[in-house]
């Protein structure tokens, strides 16, 4: 109950608070702001387990913080790109 009261009074955008309920999501957004785009880049930079990174990236895409695009080098991979909503979280 106290946690809900804190969220309502201190955080203007509750969906953002729900997305950033863990430190990995914040670190992923930070890395995306620094220009990282590929799964392997996030995994190497953060040292997070692949299964955890997969779950966090999917949640960030589902919440509109990141979007996926075909790889810029034409390979079969996808890249994660920060959206305007994702950039707005750290302004």
């Amino acid at each position: 109950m106290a946690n809900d009261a804190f969220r309502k009074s201190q955080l203007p955008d509750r969906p953002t608070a729900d997305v950033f309920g863990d430190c990995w999501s914040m670190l992923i957004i930070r890395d995306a702001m620094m220009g990282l785009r590929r799964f392997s880049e996030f995994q190497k930079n953060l040292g997070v387990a692949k299964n955890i990174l997969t779950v966090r990236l999917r949640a960030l895409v589902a919440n509109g913080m990141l979007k996926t695009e075909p790889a810029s080098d034409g390979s079969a991979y996808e890249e994660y790109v920060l959206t305007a909503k994702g950039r707005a979280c750290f302004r």
Side-chain angles (χ1 to χ4, degrees), residues 17-39:
D18 292 339
V19 170
F20 289 133
D22 64 279
C23 66
W24 291 122
S25 294
M26 290 183 0
L27 293 172
I28 291 166
I29 294 294
R30 178 205 64 187
D31 283 0
M33 291 184 79
M34 293 176 16
L36 292 149
R37 298 174 67 115
R38 293 218 176 166
F39 183 95

Side-chain angles (χ1 to χ4, degrees), residues 28 39 42-43 46 48-57:
I28 291 166
F39 183 95
F42 289 115
Q43 207 266 329
L46 297 172
V48 62
K50 290 178 182 181
N51 61 329
I52 292 172
L53 182 57
T54 299
V55 170
R56 298 308 186 270
L57 286 170

Side-chain angles (χ1 to χ4, degrees), residues 2-27:
N3 191 20
D4 284 339
F6 172 78
R7 282 184 168 193
K8 289 177 184 173
S9 67
Q10 300 294 321
L11 300 173
D13 188 0
R14 183 163 176 142
T16 301
D18 292 339
V19 170
F20 289 133
D22 64 279
C23 66
W24 291 122
S25 294
M26 290 183 0
L27 293 172

Side-chain angles (χ1 to χ4, degrees), residues 12-13 15-17 19-20 29-30 32-33 63-66 81-91:
D13 188 0
T16 301
V19 170
F20 289 133
I29 294 294
R30 178 205 64 187
M33 291 184 79
N63 285 300
M65 307 298 274
L66 296 172
V81 180
L82 203 57
T83 63
K85 181 178 177 182
R87 283 189 299 276
C89 292
F90 285 97
R91 290 186 185 194

